[in-house]
Amino acid sequence: MPSSQPIWIHGASLGEVRVGGFFAEALQRHGQAVIASAMTEPGYWLCREVHREDTACFRLPFDLPGPVGRALSHCRPRALILVETEWWPNLILGAAACDVPVFVINGRVSQRAYRRYRLLSRYWRALLSGVEFFYMRSESDAQRLVSLGVDHRRVAATGLLKVLPSPDASTDPSSIPLVSEHGVPLVWVAGCTRPGEEPTVLSAFRSLQSEFPNLRLWLAPRHPDRFDEVSRLVEQAGYRPLRWSQCQKESPDRTCAPVLIIDQIGILAGLYRHAQVAFVGGSLKPFGGHNPLEPALAGAMVFFGPHMDEQHDAAALVLQAGLAQRVYDAPSLARAVADELRSSRSREQRQAQSDELRDRLLRVRDDVADDLLTRLEALPTRGRQQARGHSAA
């Protein structure tokens, strides 16, 4: 643990942990010590990667008064930052009891979640009274939170806070056979695919091969337990799948495999940097979608389906920036990819649009960090909860 009181940042799993690491950079530039936690096991291991080496990373204690109290006593945090909706009751109540102010960054209350929250509005109003301030992703998220009974003076719609790929984050694909009789290939990365989507992507890919014989598909299923299943789907589509893990252990021949299965967690963001086009999974079927900003900011043209409910704000950003297009099925996906590959627009032009979006997101992060630290400095060291008249009782 740092010698000075650290700021504790907590995120649930991969997406929230990445945001936490991204936000930590802004705090550390102000000289703040940071510690970080995650709830899931993949989130914990990623936590150790995205934070600086001197950052203490740990698993979130069980949400019981004893474990939470011991963690707070041991860490002695100056503040607790919760990413998105990691609103664990004993963690929030325990922080209030220890006089540790709680902040929520990149907060969201989706329409679907809002319907559930309203059923227990008195509970949520009482619990969330223990949060000092909410930095919400959008005006609609802020309005839903206020309608649950949270004081509007403790809520602001600050914009989307998403992790940006760093210039050195690219994963080196040197062990992948990238030379074929057709020359250096065009790379299409289909990331975070979910059940029922791989056959659609594979169908679109097959229809494009005659026009683009050097097109290669890098397929990254969302969940590791589906790697074998997706491998069978690739075989059923008529391809011999190559796995990323095989490339790291063996020296396959120099014939570029048409379909590569990304069977390693945590490298997808880097692989997007080698893609001309990208498909974001969880969007053709009603799974809520996944983050379209990573491929867009890496310089790829992005395609996703109609079901981006959980990523509505990010989807709107990349669509507005001209870095994405919505598709609906295999034919529309194939047409969209073909149009982009035929386009005269250079990767440099697309990257310029990405850089403009990157600057906008960096301003959001830095503005939130500056405001949070200003509010933290203004708080008295004792009796915060009593002074604000909050009680979770």
Side-chain angles (χ1 to χ4, degrees):
M1 287 296 162
S3 56
S4 60
Q5 280 189 296
I7 294 179
W8 175 358
I9 301 178
H10 171 66
S13 192
L14 302 179
E16 297 86 354
V17 166
R18 289 187 189 278
V19 170
F22 178 56
F23 192 71
E25 295 173 7
L27 297 178
Q28 288 162 333
R29 283 208 310 272
H30 288 276
Q32 298 294 318
V34 170
I35 60 175
S37 65
M39 185 183 73
T40 68
E41 197 67 7
Y44 165 70
W45 290 105
L46 182 64
C47 204
R48 297 176 61 174
E49 293 180 22
V50 300
H51 287 277
R52 294 191 330 196
E53 289 186 2
D54 60 350
T55 301
C57 298
F58 53 98
R59 299 166 180 82
L60 183 72
F62 284 111
D63 196 56
L64 298 170
V68 166
R70 287 191 292 274
L72 287 163
S73 176
H74 178 68
C75 298
R76 298 180 300 109
R78 183 184 180 197
L80 171 63
I81 296 177
L82 306 177
V83 181
E84 297 189 12
T85 52
E86 278 296 275
W87 300 345
W88 292 96
N90 284 301
L91 183 61
I92 293 175
L93 296 174
C98 294
D99 203 36
V100 174
V102 180
F103 297 88
V104 170
I105 64 169
N106 210 38
R108 62 172 179 165
V109 180
S110 68
Q111 186 62 49
R112 183 169 57 182
Y114 176 64
R115 289 194 290 268
R116 296 198 306 270
Y117 291 160
R118 286 184 62 187
L119 297 175
L120 296 170
S121 58
R122 291 182 61 186
Y123 164 80
W124 287 109
R125 182 167 61 251
L127 176 64
L128 298 181
S129 68
V131 176
E132 187 69 38
F133 202 84
F134 296 85
Y135 298 93
M136 306 301 287
R137 294 159 57 145
S138 70
E139 191 62 45
S140 58
D141 288 302
Q143 289 174 356
R144 291 181 191 124
L145 191 63
V146 170
S147 72
L148 291 173
V150 175
D151 188 339
H152 70 90
R153 292 171 295 183
R154 296 191 292 118
V155 181
T158 51
L160 192 66
L161 210 170
K162 280 291 188 180
V163 64
L164 308 184
S166 59
D168 60 349
S170 61
T171 303
D172 180 13
S174 58
S175 59
I176 301 174
L178 284 179
V179 177
S180 73
E181 65 272 21
H182 302 292
V184 177
L186 301 168
V187 176
W188 173 6
V189 175
C192 296
T193 56
R194 304 291 286 269
E197 293 185 321
E198 290 89 4
T200 300
V201 173
L202 288 164
S203 176
F205 174 68
R206 176 175 290 282
S207 69
L208 294 170
Q209 283 193 292
S210 59
E211 183 177 356
F212 304 99
N214 59 336
L215 181 64
R216 298 296 178 257
L217 176 63
W218 295 0
L219 192 57
R222 171 65 174 176
H223 294 119
D225 58 6
R226 298 193 61 242
F227 290 155
D228 291 340
E229 173 193 347
V230 172
S231 183
R232 289 192 294 271
L233 290 172
V234 172
E235 290 178 346
Q236 291 169 10
Y239 301 103
R240 181 182 176 184
L242 179 68
R243 294 199 184 196
W244 173 271
S245 57
Q246 290 176 313
C247 296
Q248 313 310 304
K249 298 175 183 177
E250 306 168 5
S251 297
D253 62 41
R254 300 303 290 173
T255 301
C256 188
V259 180
L260 174 70
I261 297 177
I262 308 301
D263 60 349
Q264 182 177 332
I265 298 299
I267 65 171
L268 180 60
L271 293 177
Y272 279 134
R273 302 188 67 82
H274 305 286
Q276 284 73 33
V277 292
F279 168 75
V280 175
S283 60
L284 285 173
K285 302 292 182 179
F287 292 104
H290 294 291
N291 181 14
L293 283 168
E294 282 185 348
L297 292 169
M301 182 63 181
V302 181
F303 306 100
F304 47 73
H307 302 287
M308 291 290 282
D309 309 46
E310 299 297 321
Q311 297 289 335
H312 176 268
D313 300 310
L317 275 178
V318 293
L319 287 169
Q320 184 181 18
L323 295 169
Q325 183 177 336
R326 203 179 297 273
V327 297
Y328 300 90
D329 49 25
S332 63
L333 178 57
R335 285 195 300 271
V337 172
D339 288 346
E340 177 60 28
L341 295 180
R342 297 187 197 111
S343 172
S344 59
R345 181 173 64 158
S346 68
R347 189 177 180 90
E348 289 74 20
Q349 290 173 310
R350 192 165 58 241
Q351 190 62 57
Q353 293 173 288
S354 297
D355 291 343
E356 183 179 344
L357 180 58
R358 178 191 298 272
D359 291 342
R360 178 178 174 182
L361 293 172
L362 279 171
R363 286 194 297 272
V364 170
R365 181 196 69 172
D366 293 343
D367 288 348
V368 170
D370 290 346
D371 187 79
L372 187 152
L373 290 174
T374 299
R375 292 178 184 277
L376 190 56
E377 290 291 342
L379 289 174
T381 56
R382 287 287 180 265
R384 297 186 187 98
Q385 301 299 321
Q386 291 86 346
R388 288 186 2 250
H390 292 158
S391 171

